[in-house]
Amino acid sequence: MVVSVNVSDGGVPKYPVADAWVAASGVDGDRQRNLEYHGGPDRAVCIFAAEVIERLWGDGHPIAPGTTGENLTVRGLPWPRVVPGAQLRVGATTLLQITAYAAPCRTIAASFNDRRSGRISQKRHPGASRVYARVLVPGRVAPGDAVRLLEPAEP
């Protein structure tokens, strides 16, 4: 399920919105400051698991949906299986394909009590990373929408 749809005019945190159009160019209303590392068709949407955020918050980190720059905060997916190549159906029509793990950077340091964003590095903490996705089928996305990890033969 989509917990939060988050956008900003550049940088972090990204703030929740009631809904947003998601297309190959990204999430409507969202902008990235550093286009060398963020945005573009293969990094159109950044996604993070609410369960990881809650675990980190429980460990004392000042993290919340959107503070690490994700566009979609989701719940209920088998997060270790959300890997590059996997596809997610969001709502009735939107189809995303995971392209890469999102590397942490110092821009999101305020989300961690020790300012070490590496806490969500896939290399150091497998299964605790945000992911990037390209948009295969655009659509409107809102909190409460179902999110489903598709099996390889399903799209």
Side-chain angles (χ1 to χ4, degrees), residues 76-152:
L77 291 176
W79 200 245
R81 290 179 39 212
V82 179
V83 298
Q87 293 185 358
L88 301 177
R89 172 76 65 203
V90 183
T93 59
T94 307
L95 182 62
L96 307 176
Q97 182 175 41
I98 307 305
T99 56
Y101 296 106
C105 64
R106 65 177 168 256
T107 304
I108 62 170
S111 292
F112 304 92
N113 58 18
D114 55 5
R115 299 194 55 81
R116 292 185 181 172
S117 62
R119 182 58 194 85
I120 60 171
S121 164
Q122 180 65 19
K123 290 179 184 176
R124 293 188 200 161
H125 301 276
S129 178
R130 302 161 298 158
V131 294
Y132 282 125
R134 75 172 54 96
V135 179
L136 300 178
V137 178
R140 187 155 298 283
V141 175
D145 283 352
V147 179
R148 193 164 57 99
L149 179 63
L150 301 180
E151 296 303 322

Side-chain angles (χ1 to χ4, degrees), residues 35-88:
L35 295 177
E36 182 178 351
Y37 299 105
H38 308 288
D42 286 339
R43 299 176 298 209
V45 182
C46 185
I47 308 164
F48 204 16
E51 294 89 344
V52 175
I53 292 170
E54 290 163 357
R55 187 169 49 248
L56 291 166
W57 187 83
D59 289 344
H61 297 282
I63 190 171
T67 66
T68 61
E70 83 274 8
N71 300 114
L72 300 180
T73 311
V74 300
R75 176 183 305 287
L77 291 176
W79 200 245
R81 290 179 39 212
V82 179
V83 298
Q87 293 185 358
L88 301 177

